[in-house]
Amino acid sequence: GAVVSQHPSWVICKSGTSVKIECRSLDFQATTMFWYRQFPKQSLMLMATSNEGSKATYEQGVEKDKFLINHASLTLSTLTVTSAHPEDSSFYICSAARDGGGTEAFFGQGTRLTVV
Amino acid sequence: QQPVQSPQAVILREGEDAVINCSSSKALYSVHWYRQKHGEAPVFLMILLKGGEQKGHEKISASFNEKKQQSSLYLTASQLSYSGTYFCGRPGFNKFYFGSGTKLNVKP
């Protein structure tokens, strides 16, 4: 399968600071990238969908100004958690798809964010 | 938007079988199955595209009903390595949603 690299794997930051998470498709061009958030023992909740060169589409209830998503190229999408608070602590996972997710989507390793 | 899975959790002994169901109120374009180990990203198992389709191999297989509103994942003669949380997933228009999840625990 295709390889998606997500970085960092884990990060601890102080309240009020911003954290950037990168998601790269290493061996294919990802027209679409999805960003998920997962709380312990819960499912993956779609936060937003990003398409290369256009603004991300956010799910209802997800703050656009807090979770900034940029999909500058066909191989890179970034999620920036701005002014992080302890309640933002979670597991964040990206996935990349060639065709909008209709066929297989490939996942990054995930990022464990802890805000203290 | 999110498919509903049942059961929420199941405990098995090695060698036992399990069935995990995934239901949607609307017809699905396709259904995907993933398994996630604790602290890791989900791993793709398979995708079903056609109503009435059955897919997989001897140990792990899945079906997609004719109306494309329900899919089932079959785990046969379970192994310890099957433990994890199983998610079905469905693509939407430029979106991808996961089901509620089923936690499977296989014990020796």
Side-chain angles (χ1 to χ4, degrees), chain A residues 32 34 36 38 41-46 49 51 57-59 91 93 100-110 112, chain B residues 1-2 29-30 32 34 36 38-44 47 49 87 91-101 103:
Chain A
T32 306
F34 304 102
Y36 296 89
Q38 187 176 35
K41 299 184 180 181
Q42 294 188 22
S43 184
L44 294 89
M45 301 307 297
L46 181 64
T49 303
N51 293 292
T57 304
Y58 290 81
E59 293 296 294
F91 191 51
I93 307 178
T103 54
E104 183 179 353
F106 304 95
F107 284 86
Q109 304 94 318
R112 173 76 57 192
Chain B
Q1 306 275 36
Q2 185 183 45
Y29 172 75
S30 63
H32 304 215
Y34 289 84
Q36 185 182 29
H38 180 69
E40 300 178 8
V43 172
F44 175 78
I47 179 176
L49 297 171
F87 294 100
F93 179 71
N94 207 36
K95 297 181 188 293
F96 190 90
Y97 298 105
F98 282 92
S100 45
K103 185 172 182 179

Side-chain angles (χ1 to χ4, degrees), chain B:
Chain B
Q1 306 275 36
Q2 185 183 45
V4 177
Q5 290 182 232
S6 63
Q8 288 185 316
V10 59
I11 299 174
L12 296 175
R13 293 286 180 190
E14 259 187 303
E16 293 181 338
D17 302 339
V19 180
I20 299 171
N21 298 305
C22 173
S23 296
S24 171
S25 57
K26 296 182 180 180
L28 304 171
Y29 172 75
S30 63
V31 65
H32 304 215
W33 284 98
Y34 289 84
R35 177 171 60 210
Q36 185 182 29
K37 300 278 187 178
H38 180 69
E40 300 178 8
V43 172
F44 175 78
L45 295 177
M46 67 187 80
I47 179 176
L48 296 99
L49 297 171
K50 299 177 184 177
E53 183 177 4
Q54 295 195 35
K55 198 171 188 177
H57 57 76
E58 190 180 310
K59 297 284 189 179
I60 301 178
S61 61
S63 64
F64 199 11
N65 78 340
E66 290 288 346
K67 291 186 177 180
K68 300 180 75 174
Q69 286 183 259
Q70 184 177 23
S71 178
S72 295
L73 184 71
Y74 306 95
L75 302 163
T76 305
S78 59
Q79 305 169 13
L80 295 176
S81 61
Y82 288 4
S83 292
T85 302
Y86 290 78
F87 294 100
C88 62
R90 72 157 186 93
F93 179 71
N94 207 36
K95 297 181 188 293
F96 190 90
Y97 298 105
F98 282 92
S100 45
T102 297
K103 185 172 182 179
L104 180 71
N105 188 1
V106 181
K107 296 190 173 182

